Amino acid sequence: MKAKHDETEADAIDRKLLGILQHDALVGTEMLGEAVGLSATAAKRRVNRMRQDGTIIKNVSIVDPERLGFEVFTLVSVNIERDRRDIVVNFKRAIIQNPRITQAFYTTGDADFVLLVVSRTLADYELFTQDFFWESPYIKSFKTMVVMENVKMGFELPIDY
């Protein structure tokens, strides 16, 4: 009798499927099945299960920012006014609602949050700081680091680590 699949832990076949899908989310089920030694139907069933159980969170296309005129990336460390639950919740909500903030981390250490902000120009980023940071009642201080070169950007997890 087969053991029931543990939804919190991916088995070897799931891990192979995830590795392939992380590299190319549009790969067909025939090719997926072939790569892991399953039928296309069985591979599709596994992928659908991982989407339903939350293992696969989202399928996205990574867009070249320069093609859309975004040439300035900034890392911003933010300290909020006080460590109160309502302030943290409201600031998180403001981050999520702002499309210019492409990644955000609630952190320990010198900063409460670290944000990755995309802008078209430095002047555009300055306007963003005025609207988002200066006008916010939640922010005590912020520091900006301009990214000189994007050495590595991606979302692939090291499946076989």
Side-chain angles (χ1 to χ4, degrees):
M1 186 156 126
K2 261 186 161 175
K4 184 176 188 246
H5 179 77
D6 182 0
E7 291 184 14
T8 60
E9 187 71 31
D11 67 16
I13 294 173
D14 287 349
R15 295 174 81 75
K16 285 180 184 177
L17 289 168
L18 291 168
I20 294 165
L21 291 171
Q22 281 191 128
H23 185 69
D24 181 2
L26 297 178
V27 66
T29 55
E30 288 286 334
M31 189 177 272
L32 275 176
E34 221 175 272
V36 299
L38 294 175
S39 69
T41 305
K44 182 176 179 145
R45 198 171 23 249
R46 280 179 174 256
V47 170
N48 286 341
R49 181 191 29 69
M50 289 189 286
R51 285 188 177 121
Q52 289 172 349
D53 73 17
T55 301
I56 297 173
I57 297 169
K58 190 182 253 189
N59 296 299
V60 298
S61 295
I62 298 174
V63 178
D64 181 349
E66 288 183 16
R67 296 257 179 159
L68 297 179
F70 295 107
E71 297 187 10
V72 177
F73 285 83
T74 49
L75 290 168
V76 186
S77 59
V78 179
N79 287 306
I80 56 177
E81 195 56 50
R82 285 191 296 276
D83 287 330
R84 274 190 3 220
R85 183 182 179 98
D86 62 323
I87 290 175
V88 171
V89 168
N90 288 333
F91 188 60
K92 284 180 183 179
R93 188 175 298 121
I95 289 169
I96 291 166
Q97 291 172 351
N98 194 304
R100 298 276 300 276
I101 301 169
T102 61
Q103 293 190 40
F105 305 94
Y106 184 33
T107 62
T108 63
D110 293 336
D112 296 316
F113 289 86
V114 176
L115 312 176
L116 179 61
V117 179
V118 63
S119 303
R120 295 186 190 283
T121 63
L122 280 174
D124 180 39
Y125 174 70
E126 183 179 2
L127 291 173
F128 173 83
T129 64
Q130 291 169 12
D131 292 341
F132 190 79
F133 296 122
W134 293 358
E135 299 298 322
S136 174
Y138 312 119
I139 296 175
K140 180 177 175 182
S141 64
F142 69 96
K143 292 181 185 174
T144 300
M145 293 178 283
V146 176
V147 174
M148 300 295 291
E149 177 186 0
N150 186 340
V151 177
K152 180 179 180 180
M153 181 170 85
F155 298 96
E156 291 182 34
L157 295 175
I159 299 280
D160 296 321
Y161 180 70

PDB file of all heavy atoms in Angstrom, residues 29-67:
ATOM      1  N   THR A  29       2.768  19.825 -20.413  1.00  0.00           N
ATOM      2  CA  THR A  29       2.658  18.657 -19.538  1.00  0.00           C
ATOM      3  C   THR A  29       3.302  17.415 -20.153  1.00  0.00           C
ATOM      4  O   THR A  29       3.808  16.571 -19.414  1.00  0.00           O
ATOM      5  CB  THR A  29       1.187  18.373 -19.169  1.00  0.00           C
ATOM      6  OG1 THR A  29       0.424  18.248 -20.360  1.00  0.00           O
ATOM      7  CG2 THR A  29       0.631  19.456 -18.290  1.00  0.00           C
ATOM      8  N   GLU A  30       3.301  17.304 -21.462  1.00  0.00           N
ATOM      9  CA  GLU A  30       3.977  16.171 -22.121  1.00  0.00           C
ATOM     10  C   GLU A  30       5.459  16.182 -21.764  1.00  0.00           C
ATOM     11  O   GLU A  30       6.026  15.168 -21.370  1.00  0.00           O
ATOM     12  CB  GLU A  30       3.807  16.245 -23.650  1.00  0.00           C
ATOM     13  CG  GLU A  30       2.429  15.932 -24.149  1.00  0.00           C
ATOM     14  CD  GLU A  30       2.105  14.439 -24.074  1.00  0.00           C
ATOM     15  OE1 GLU A  30       3.023  13.605 -24.113  1.00  0.00           O
ATOM     16  OE2 GLU A  30       0.903  14.131 -23.951  1.00  0.00           O
ATOM     17  N   MET A  31       6.074  17.342 -21.912  1.00  0.00           N
ATOM     18  CA  MET A  31       7.497  17.471 -21.632  1.00  0.00           C
ATOM     19  C   MET A  31       7.782  17.273 -20.137  1.00  0.00           C
ATOM     20  O   MET A  31       8.770  16.645 -19.765  1.00  0.00           O
ATOM     21  CB  MET A  31       8.004  18.837 -22.098  1.00  0.00           C
ATOM     22  CG  MET A  31       9.510  18.997 -22.039  1.00  0.00           C
ATOM     23  SD  MET A  31      10.029  20.598 -22.686  1.00  0.00           S
ATOM     24  CE  MET A  31      10.186  20.180 -24.412  1.00  0.00           C
ATOM     25  N   LEU A  32       6.902  17.804 -19.282  1.00  0.00           N
ATOM     26  CA  LEU A  32       7.055  17.617 -17.836  1.00  0.00           C
ATOM     27  C   LEU A  32       7.029  16.139 -17.476  1.00  0.00           C
ATOM     28  O   LEU A  32       7.893  15.645 -16.742  1.00  0.00           O
ATOM     29  CB  LEU A  32       5.927  18.326 -17.076  1.00  0.00           C
ATOM     30  CG  LEU A  32       6.095  19.786 -16.758  1.00  0.00           C
ATOM     31  CD1 LEU A  32       4.824  20.317 -16.098  1.00  0.00           C
ATOM     32  CD2 LEU A  32       7.286  20.033 -15.879  1.00  0.00           C
ATOM     33  N   GLY A  33       6.031  15.450 -17.979  1.00  0.00           N
ATOM     34  CA  GLY A  33       5.901  14.027 -17.696  1.00  0.00           C
ATOM     35  C   GLY A  33       7.112  13.245 -18.161  1.00  0.00           C
ATOM     36  O   GLY A  33       7.639  12.391 -17.438  1.00  0.00           O
ATOM     37  N   GLU A  34       7.561  13.541 -19.375  1.00  0.00           N
ATOM     38  CA  GLU A  34       8.728  12.874 -19.933  1.00  0.00           C
ATOM     39  C   GLU A  34       9.965  13.097 -19.056  1.00  0.00           C
ATOM     40  O   GLU A  34      10.732  12.170 -18.798  1.00  0.00           O
ATOM     41  CB  GLU A  34       8.991  13.442 -21.338  1.00  0.00           C
ATOM     42  CG  GLU A  34       9.388  12.420 -22.357  1.00  0.00           C
ATOM     43  CD  GLU A  34       9.494  13.070 -23.725  1.00  0.00           C
ATOM     44  OE1 GLU A  34       8.457  13.126 -24.419  1.00  0.00           O
ATOM     45  OE2 GLU A  34      10.609  13.523 -24.060  1.00  0.00           O
ATOM     46  N   ALA A  35      10.139  14.312 -18.578  1.00  0.00           N
ATOM     47  CA  ALA A  35      11.322  14.668 -17.792  1.00  0.00           C
ATOM     48  C   ALA A  35      11.382  13.959 -16.439  1.00  0.00           C
ATOM     49  O   ALA A  35      12.461  13.738 -15.904  1.00  0.00           O
ATOM     50  CB  ALA A  35      11.371  16.186 -17.586  1.00  0.00           C
ATOM     51  N   VAL A  36      10.208  13.608 -15.903  1.00  0.00           N
ATOM     52  CA  VAL A  36      10.189  12.987 -14.569  1.00  0.00           C
ATOM     53  C   VAL A  36       9.720  11.532 -14.595  1.00  0.00           C
ATOM     54  O   VAL A  36       9.560  10.911 -13.541  1.00  0.00           O
ATOM     55  CB  VAL A  36       9.328  13.807 -13.570  1.00  0.00           C
ATOM     56  CG1 VAL A  36       9.888  15.200 -13.395  1.00  0.00           C
ATOM     57  CG2 VAL A  36       7.868  13.842 -13.988  1.00  0.00           C
ATOM     58  N   GLY A  37       9.488  10.995 -15.792  1.00  0.00           N
ATOM     59  CA  GLY A  37       9.104   9.591 -15.904  1.00  0.00           C
ATOM     60  C   GLY A  37       7.651   9.309 -15.581  1.00  0.00           C
ATOM     61  O   GLY A  37       7.313   8.236 -15.083  1.00  0.00           O
ATOM     62  N   LEU A  38       6.781  10.273 -15.858  1.00  0.00           N
ATOM     63  CA  LEU A  38       5.345  10.091 -15.643  1.00  0.00           C
ATOM     64  C   LEU A  38       4.599  10.362 -16.938  1.00  0.00           C
ATOM     65  O   LEU A  38       5.132  10.967 -17.865  1.00  0.00           O
ATOM     66  CB  LEU A  38       4.830  11.083 -14.588  1.00  0.00           C
ATOM     67  CG  LEU A  38       5.320  10.957 -13.157  1.00  0.00           C
ATOM     68  CD1 LEU A  38       4.775  12.115 -12.326  1.00  0.00           C
ATOM     69  CD2 LEU A  38       4.904   9.631 -12.551  1.00  0.00           C
ATOM     70  N   SER A  39       3.341   9.958 -16.971  1.00  0.00           N
ATOM     71  CA  SER A  39       2.493  10.332 -18.102  1.00  0.00           C
ATOM     72  C   SER A  39       2.188  11.834 -17.975  1.00  0.00           C
ATOM     73  O   SER A  39       2.317  12.418 -16.895  1.00  0.00           O
ATOM     74  CB  SER A  39       1.181   9.542 -18.079  1.00  0.00           C
ATOM     75  OG  SER A  39       0.382   9.955 -16.977  1.00  0.00           O
ATOM     76  N   ALA A  40       1.788  12.441 -19.067  1.00  0.00           N
ATOM     77  CA  ALA A  40       1.425  13.863 -19.043  1.00  0.00           C
ATOM     78  C   ALA A  40       0.299  14.112 -18.049  1.00  0.00           C
ATOM     79  O   ALA A  40       0.302  15.102 -17.315  1.00  0.00           O
ATOM     80  CB  ALA A  40       1.022  14.330 -20.442  1.00  0.00           C
ATOM     81  N   THR A  41      -0.666  13.187 -18.006  1.00  0.00           N
ATOM     82  CA  THR A  41      -1.807  13.325 -17.095  1.00  0.00           C
ATOM     83  C   THR A  41      -1.361  13.290 -15.639  1.00  0.00           C
ATOM     84  O   THR A  41      -1.800  14.100 -14.821  1.00  0.00           O
ATOM     85  CB  THR A  41      -2.842  12.214 -17.357  1.00  0.00           C
ATOM     86  OG1 THR A  41      -3.206  12.262 -18.733  1.00  0.00           O
ATOM     87  CG2 THR A  41      -4.072  12.388 -16.503  1.00  0.00           C
ATOM     88  N   ALA A  42      -0.482  12.347 -15.305  1.00  0.00           N
ATOM     89  CA  ALA A  42       0.004  12.234 -13.923  1.00  0.00           C
ATOM     90  C   ALA A  42       0.823  13.470 -13.529  1.00  0.00           C
ATOM     91  O   ALA A  42       0.706  13.970 -12.406  1.00  0.00           O
ATOM     92  CB  ALA A  42       0.828  10.968 -13.760  1.00  0.00           C
ATOM     93  N   ALA A  43       1.638  13.967 -14.457  1.00  0.00           N
ATOM     94  CA  ALA A  43       2.432  15.173 -14.181  1.00  0.00           C
ATOM     95  C   ALA A  43       1.506  16.362 -13.957  1.00  0.00           C
ATOM     96  O   ALA A  43       1.692  17.140 -13.009  1.00  0.00           O
ATOM     97  CB  ALA A  43       3.395  15.445 -15.330  1.00  0.00           C
ATOM     98  N   LYS A  44       0.494  16.496 -14.815  1.00  0.00           N
ATOM     99  CA  LYS A  44      -0.454  17.603 -14.684  1.00  0.00           C
ATOM    100  C   LYS A  44      -1.208  17.519 -13.358  1.00  0.00           C
ATOM    101  O   LYS A  44      -1.425  18.532 -12.689  1.00  0.00           O
ATOM    102  CB  LYS A  44      -1.443  17.607 -15.848  1.00  0.00           C
ATOM    103  CG  LYS A  44      -2.413  18.758 -15.797  1.00  0.00           C
ATOM    104  CD  LYS A  44      -3.310  18.792 -17.008  1.00  0.00           C
ATOM    105  CE  LYS A  44      -4.256  19.953 -16.864  1.00  0.00           C
ATOM    106  NZ  LYS A  44      -4.586  20.591 -18.083  1.00  0.00           N
ATOM    107  N   ARG A  45      -1.588  16.314 -12.961  1.00  0.00           N
ATOM    108  CA  ARG A  45      -2.294  16.114 -11.698  1.00  0.00           C
ATOM    109  C   ARG A  45      -1.419  16.575 -10.517  1.00  0.00           C
ATOM    110  O   ARG A  45      -1.889  17.250  -9.618  1.00  0.00           O
ATOM    111  CB  ARG A  45      -2.685  14.637 -11.563  1.00  0.00           C
ATOM    112  CG  ARG A  45      -3.746  14.373 -10.546  1.00  0.00           C
ATOM    113  CD  ARG A  45      -4.316  12.949 -10.544  1.00  0.00           C
ATOM    114  NE  ARG A  45      -3.477  11.902 -11.112  1.00  0.00           N
ATOM    115  CZ  ARG A  45      -3.723  11.257 -12.254  1.00  0.00           C
ATOM    116  NH1 ARG A  45      -4.803  11.545 -12.960  1.00  0.00           N
ATOM    117  NH2 ARG A  45      -2.924  10.300 -12.685  1.00  0.00           N
ATOM    118  N   ARG A  46      -0.139  16.221 -10.553  1.00  0.00           N
ATOM    119  CA  ARG A  46       0.781  16.633  -9.485  1.00  0.00           C
ATOM    120  C   ARG A  46       0.938  18.161  -9.454  1.00  0.00           C
ATOM    121  O   ARG A  46       0.930  18.768  -8.391  1.00  0.00           O
ATOM    122  CB  ARG A  46       2.142  15.975  -9.662  1.00  0.00           C
ATOM    123  CG  ARG A  46       2.180  14.549  -9.163  1.00  0.00           C
ATOM    124  CD  ARG A  46       3.573  13.962  -9.417  1.00  0.00           C
ATOM    125  NE  ARG A  46       3.698  12.652  -8.838  1.00  0.00           N
ATOM    126  CZ  ARG A  46       4.365  12.379  -7.717  1.00  0.00           C
ATOM    127  NH1 ARG A  46       4.963  13.340  -7.060  1.00  0.00           N
ATOM    128  NH2 ARG A  46       4.428  11.150  -7.263  1.00  0.00           N
ATOM    129  N   VAL A  47       1.104  18.756 -10.617  1.00  0.00           N
ATOM    130  CA  VAL A  47       1.262  20.213 -10.684  1.00  0.00           C
ATOM    131  C   VAL A  47      -0.006  20.901 -10.179  1.00  0.00           C
ATOM    132  O   VAL A  47       0.066  21.848  -9.395  1.00  0.00           O
ATOM    133  CB  VAL A  47       1.615  20.667 -12.125  1.00  0.00           C
ATOM    134  CG1 VAL A  47       1.548  22.183 -12.246  1.00  0.00           C
ATOM    135  CG2 VAL A  47       3.002  20.152 -12.518  1.00  0.00           C
ATOM    136  N   ASN A  48      -1.156  20.421 -10.593  1.00  0.00           N
ATOM    137  CA  ASN A  48      -2.418  21.001 -10.116  1.00  0.00           C
ATOM    138  C   ASN A  48      -2.555  20.879  -8.605  1.00  0.00           C
ATOM    139  O   ASN A  48      -3.004  21.803  -7.933  1.00  0.00           O
ATOM    140  CB  ASN A  48      -3.611  20.357 -10.810  1.00  0.00           C
ATOM    141  CG  ASN A  48      -3.760  20.809 -12.248  1.00  0.00           C
ATOM    142  OD1 ASN A  48      -3.222  21.843 -12.633  1.00  0.00           O
ATOM    143  ND2 ASN A  48      -4.462  20.035 -13.042  1.00  0.00           N
ATOM    144  N   ARG A  49      -2.147  19.714  -8.056  1.00  0.00           N
ATOM    145  CA  ARG A  49      -2.205  19.531  -6.607  1.00  0.00           C
ATOM    146  C   ARG A  49      -1.294  20.533  -5.901  1.00  0.00           C
ATOM    147  O   ARG A  49      -1.662  21.141  -4.908  1.00  0.00           O
ATOM    148  CB  ARG A  49      -1.812  18.103  -6.210  1.00  0.00           C
ATOM    149  CG  ARG A  49      -1.885  17.899  -4.701  1.00  0.00           C
ATOM    150  CD  ARG A  49      -1.275  16.629  -4.162  1.00  0.00           C
ATOM    151  NE  ARG A  49      -0.188  15.963  -4.801  1.00  0.00           N
ATOM    152  CZ  ARG A  49       1.098  16.387  -4.915  1.00  0.00           C
ATOM    153  NH1 ARG A  49       1.459  17.467  -4.519  1.00  0.00           N
ATOM    154  NH2 ARG A  49       2.027  15.702  -5.480  1.00  0.00           N
ATOM    155  N   MET A  50      -0.097  20.746  -6.461  1.00  0.00           N
ATOM    156  CA  MET A  50       0.834  21.699  -5.832  1.00  0.00           C
ATOM    157  C   MET A  50       0.321  23.133  -5.933  1.00  0.00           C
ATOM    158  O   MET A  50       0.608  23.951  -5.076  1.00  0.00           O
ATOM    159  CB  MET A  50       2.236  21.547  -6.429  1.00  0.00           C
ATOM    160  CG  MET A  50       2.903  20.251  -6.000  1.00  0.00           C
ATOM    161  SD  MET A  50       4.644  20.134  -6.465  1.00  0.00           S
ATOM    162  CE  MET A  50       4.534  19.826  -8.232  1.00  0.00           C
ATOM    163  N   ARG A  51      -0.437  23.427  -6.975  1.00  0.00           N
ATOM    164  CA  ARG A  51      -1.069  24.758  -7.057  1.00  0.00           C
ATOM    165  C   ARG A  51      -2.161  24.883  -6.011  1.00  0.00           C
ATOM    166  O   ARG A  51      -2.310  25.908  -5.355  1.00  0.00           O
ATOM    167  CB  ARG A  51      -1.635  24.985  -8.450  1.00  0.00           C
ATOM    168  CG  ARG A  51      -0.575  25.269  -9.482  1.00  0.00           C
ATOM    169  CD  ARG A  51      -1.165  25.676 -10.825  1.00  0.00           C
ATOM    170  NE  ARG A  51      -0.087  26.010 -11.732  1.00  0.00           N
ATOM    171  CZ  ARG A  51       0.123  25.384 -12.894  1.00  0.00           C
ATOM    172  NH1 ARG A  51      -0.692  24.425 -13.297  1.00  0.00           N
ATOM    173  NH2 ARG A  51       1.136  25.730 -13.644  1.00  0.00           N
ATOM    174  N   GLN A  52      -2.950  23.840  -5.845  1.00  0.00           N
ATOM    175  CA  GLN A  52      -4.055  23.873  -4.882  1.00  0.00           C
ATOM    176  C   GLN A  52      -3.572  23.888  -3.443  1.00  0.00           C
ATOM    177  O   GLN A  52      -4.166  24.550  -2.592  1.00  0.00           O
ATOM    178  CB  GLN A  52      -4.997  22.681  -5.112  1.00  0.00           C
ATOM    179  CG  GLN A  52      -5.792  22.804  -6.378  1.00  0.00           C
ATOM    180  CD  GLN A  52      -6.576  21.536  -6.704  1.00  0.00           C
ATOM    181  OE1 GLN A  52      -6.393  20.489  -6.105  1.00  0.00           O
ATOM    182  NE2 GLN A  52      -7.455  21.651  -7.698  1.00  0.00           N
ATOM    183  N   ASP A  53      -2.486  23.150  -3.139  1.00  0.00           N
ATOM    184  CA  ASP A  53      -2.036  23.097  -1.746  1.00  0.00           C
ATOM    185  C   ASP A  53      -1.105  24.257  -1.378  1.00  0.00           C
ATOM    186  O   ASP A  53      -0.647  24.350  -0.248  1.00  0.00           O
ATOM    187  CB  ASP A  53      -1.411  21.737  -1.402  1.00  0.00           C
ATOM    188  CG  ASP A  53      -0.026  21.497  -2.007  1.00  0.00           C
ATOM    189  OD1 ASP A  53       0.649  22.447  -2.441  1.00  0.00           O
ATOM    190  OD2 ASP A  53       0.406  20.323  -2.030  1.00  0.00           O
ATOM    191  N   GLY A  54      -0.826  25.150  -2.339  1.00  0.00           N
ATOM    192  CA  GLY A  54      -0.027  26.334  -2.036  1.00  0.00           C
ATOM    193  C   GLY A  54       1.469  26.154  -2.208  1.00  0.00           C
ATOM    194  O   GLY A  54       2.239  27.073  -1.927  1.00  0.00           O
ATOM    195  N   THR A  55       1.922  24.991  -2.674  1.00  0.00           N
ATOM    196  CA  THR A  55       3.350  24.811  -2.948  1.00  0.00           C
ATOM    197  C   THR A  55       3.763  25.742  -4.082  1.00  0.00           C
ATOM    198  O   THR A  55       4.793  26.406  -4.002  1.00  0.00           O
ATOM    199  CB  THR A  55       3.660  23.339  -3.319  1.00  0.00           C
ATOM    200  OG1 THR A  55       3.256  22.501  -2.234  1.00  0.00           O
ATOM    201  CG2 THR A  55       5.136  23.138  -3.591  1.00  0.00           C
ATOM    202  N   ILE A  56       2.960  25.775  -5.137  1.00  0.00           N
ATOM    203  CA  ILE A  56       3.161  26.742  -6.229  1.00  0.00           C
ATOM    204  C   ILE A  56       2.242  27.908  -5.925  1.00  0.00           C
ATOM    205  O   ILE A  56       1.021  27.772  -5.927  1.00  0.00           O
ATOM    206  CB  ILE A  56       2.835  26.130  -7.606  1.00  0.00           C
ATOM    207  CG1 ILE A  56       3.781  24.967  -7.901  1.00  0.00           C
ATOM    208  CG2 ILE A  56       2.915  27.205  -8.698  1.00  0.00           C
ATOM    209  CD1 ILE A  56       3.431  24.188  -9.163  1.00  0.00           C
ATOM    210  N   ILE A  57       2.840  29.054  -5.649  1.00  0.00           N
ATOM    211  CA  ILE A  57       2.069  30.223  -5.236  1.00  0.00           C
ATOM    212  C   ILE A  57       1.502  30.970  -6.439  1.00  0.00           C
ATOM    213  O   ILE A  57       0.353  31.399  -6.441  1.00  0.00           O
ATOM    214  CB  ILE A  57       2.946  31.180  -4.405  1.00  0.00           C
ATOM    215  CG1 ILE A  57       3.407  30.480  -3.125  1.00  0.00           C
ATOM    216  CG2 ILE A  57       2.208  32.462  -4.076  1.00  0.00           C
ATOM    217  CD1 ILE A  57       4.471  31.233  -2.371  1.00  0.00           C
ATOM    218  N   LYS A  58       2.322  31.136  -7.481  1.00  0.00           N
ATOM    219  CA  LYS A  58       1.909  31.966  -8.597  1.00  0.00           C
ATOM    220  C   LYS A  58       2.755  31.638  -9.819  1.00  0.00           C
ATOM    221  O   LYS A  58       3.918  31.278  -9.686  1.00  0.00           O
ATOM    222  CB  LYS A  58       2.136  33.429  -8.197  1.00  0.00           C
ATOM    223  CG  LYS A  58       1.561  34.449  -9.117  1.00  0.00           C
ATOM    224  CD  LYS A  58       1.902  35.848  -8.627  1.00  0.00           C
ATOM    225  CE  LYS A  58       0.688  36.484  -8.048  1.00  0.00           C
ATOM    226  NZ  LYS A  58       0.879  37.909  -7.758  1.00  0.00           N
ATOM    227  N   ASN A  59       2.187  31.757 -10.988  1.00  0.00           N
ATOM    228  CA  ASN A  59       2.926  31.651 -12.247  1.00  0.00           C
ATOM    229  C   ASN A  59       3.023  33.054 -12.830  1.00  0.00           C
ATOM    230  O   ASN A  59       2.001  33.703 -13.022  1.00  0.00           O
ATOM    231  CB  ASN A  59       2.195  30.728 -13.222  1.00  0.00           C
ATOM    232  CG  ASN A  59       2.122  29.316 -12.712  1.00  0.00           C
ATOM    233  OD1 ASN A  59       3.137  28.685 -12.504  1.00  0.00           O
ATOM    234  ND2 ASN A  59       0.918  28.827 -12.480  1.00  0.00           N
ATOM    235  N   VAL A  60       4.245  33.495 -13.104  1.00  0.00           N
ATOM    236  CA  VAL A  60       4.435  34.866 -13.573  1.00  0.00           C
ATOM    237  C   VAL A  60       5.389  34.900 -14.760  1.00  0.00           C
ATOM    238  O   VAL A  60       6.129  33.958 -14.999  1.00  0.00           O
ATOM    239  CB  VAL A  60       5.004  35.778 -12.456  1.00  0.00           C
ATOM    240  CG1 VAL A  60       4.061  35.865 -11.282  1.00  0.00           C
ATOM    241  CG2 VAL A  60       6.376  35.320 -12.017  1.00  0.00           C
ATOM    242  N   SER A  61       5.368  36.020 -15.452  1.00  0.00           N
ATOM    243  CA  SER A  61       6.371  36.310 -16.468  1.00  0.00           C
ATOM    244  C   SER A  61       7.272  37.396 -15.910  1.00  0.00           C
ATOM    245  O   SER A  61       6.781  38.400 -15.381  1.00  0.00           O
ATOM    246  CB  SER A  61       5.713  36.805 -17.752  1.00  0.00           C
ATOM    247  OG  SER A  61       4.930  35.785 -18.317  1.00  0.00           O
ATOM    248  N   ILE A  62       8.567  37.194 -15.994  1.00  0.00           N
ATOM    249  CA  ILE A  62       9.512  38.202 -15.514  1.00  0.00           C
ATOM    250  C   ILE A  62       9.804  39.132 -16.680  1.00  0.00           C
ATOM    251  O   ILE A  62      10.268  38.704 -17.731  1.00  0.00           O
ATOM    252  CB  ILE A  62      10.787  37.541 -14.957  1.00  0.00           C
ATOM    253  CG1 ILE A  62      10.410  36.660 -13.765  1.00  0.00           C
ATOM    254  CG2 ILE A  62      11.806  38.608 -14.556  1.00  0.00           C
ATOM    255  CD1 ILE A  62      11.538  35.831 -13.203  1.00  0.00           C
ATOM    256  N   VAL A  63       9.501  40.393 -16.503  1.00  0.00           N
ATOM    257  CA  VAL A  63       9.585  41.392 -17.562  1.00  0.00           C
ATOM    258  C   VAL A  63      10.883  42.177 -17.421  1.00  0.00           C
ATOM    259  O   VAL A  63      11.293  42.537 -16.312  1.00  0.00           O
ATOM    260  CB  VAL A  63       8.370  42.347 -17.467  1.00  0.00           C
ATOM    261  CG1 VAL A  63       8.444  43.443 -18.519  1.00  0.00           C
ATOM    262  CG2 VAL A  63       7.069  41.559 -17.580  1.00  0.00           C
ATOM    263  N   ASP A  64      11.527  42.464 -18.539  1.00  0.00           N
ATOM    264  CA  ASP A  64      12.741  43.279 -18.544  1.00  0.00           C
ATOM    265  C   ASP A  64      12.352  44.706 -18.181  1.00  0.00           C
ATOM    266  O   ASP A  64      11.625  45.369 -18.931  1.00  0.00           O
ATOM    267  CB  ASP A  64      13.378  43.241 -19.935  1.00  0.00           C
ATOM    268  CG  ASP A  64      14.658  44.041 -20.036  1.00  0.00           C
ATOM    269  OD1 ASP A  64      14.984  44.817 -19.110  1.00  0.00           O
ATOM    270  OD2 ASP A  64      15.340  43.907 -21.065  1.00  0.00           O
ATOM    271  N   PRO A  65      12.792  45.210 -17.023  1.00  0.00           N
ATOM    272  CA  PRO A  65      12.368  46.545 -16.578  1.00  0.00           C
ATOM    273  C   PRO A  65      12.769  47.668 -17.539  1.00  0.00           C
ATOM    274  O   PRO A  65      12.025  48.634 -17.706  1.00  0.00           O
ATOM    275  CB  PRO A  65      13.049  46.725 -15.221  1.00  0.00           C
ATOM    276  CG  PRO A  65      13.938  45.572 -15.020  1.00  0.00           C
ATOM    277  CD  PRO A  65      13.682  44.565 -16.074  1.00  0.00           C
ATOM    278  N   GLU A  66      13.917  47.523 -18.171  1.00  0.00           N
ATOM    279  CA  GLU A  66      14.375  48.576 -19.094  1.00  0.00           C
ATOM    280  C   GLU A  66      13.445  48.722 -20.298  1.00  0.00           C
ATOM    281  O   GLU A  66      13.284  49.814 -20.823  1.00  0.00           O
ATOM    282  CB  GLU A  66      15.804  48.306 -19.546  1.00  0.00           C
ATOM    283  CG  GLU A  66      16.809  48.559 -18.435  1.00  0.00           C
ATOM    284  CD  GLU A  66      18.245  48.374 -18.892  1.00  0.00           C
ATOM    285  OE1 GLU A  66      18.499  48.354 -20.122  1.00  0.00           O
ATOM    286  OE2 GLU A  66      19.103  48.251 -18.014  1.00  0.00           O
ATOM    287  N   ARG A  67      12.803  47.623 -20.715  1.00  0.00           N
ATOM    288  CA  ARG A  67      11.862  47.682 -21.842  1.00  0.00           C
ATOM    289  C   ARG A  67      10.654  48.548 -21.517  1.00  0.00           C
ATOM    290  O   ARG A  67       9.974  49.035 -22.408  1.00  0.00           O
ATOM    291  CB  ARG A  67      11.390  46.285 -22.219  1.00  0.00           C
ATOM    292  CG  ARG A  67      12.482  45.395 -22.712  1.00  0.00           C
ATOM    293  CD  ARG A  67      12.410  45.294 -24.185  1.00  0.00           C
ATOM    294  NE  ARG A  67      13.484  44.445 -24.669  1.00  0.00           N
ATOM    295  CZ  ARG A  67      13.450  43.861 -25.817  1.00  0.00           C
ATOM    296  NH1 ARG A  67      12.403  43.986 -26.590  1.00  0.00           N
ATOM    297  NH2 ARG A  67      14.461  43.154 -26.213  1.00  0.00           N
TER     298      ARG A  67
END
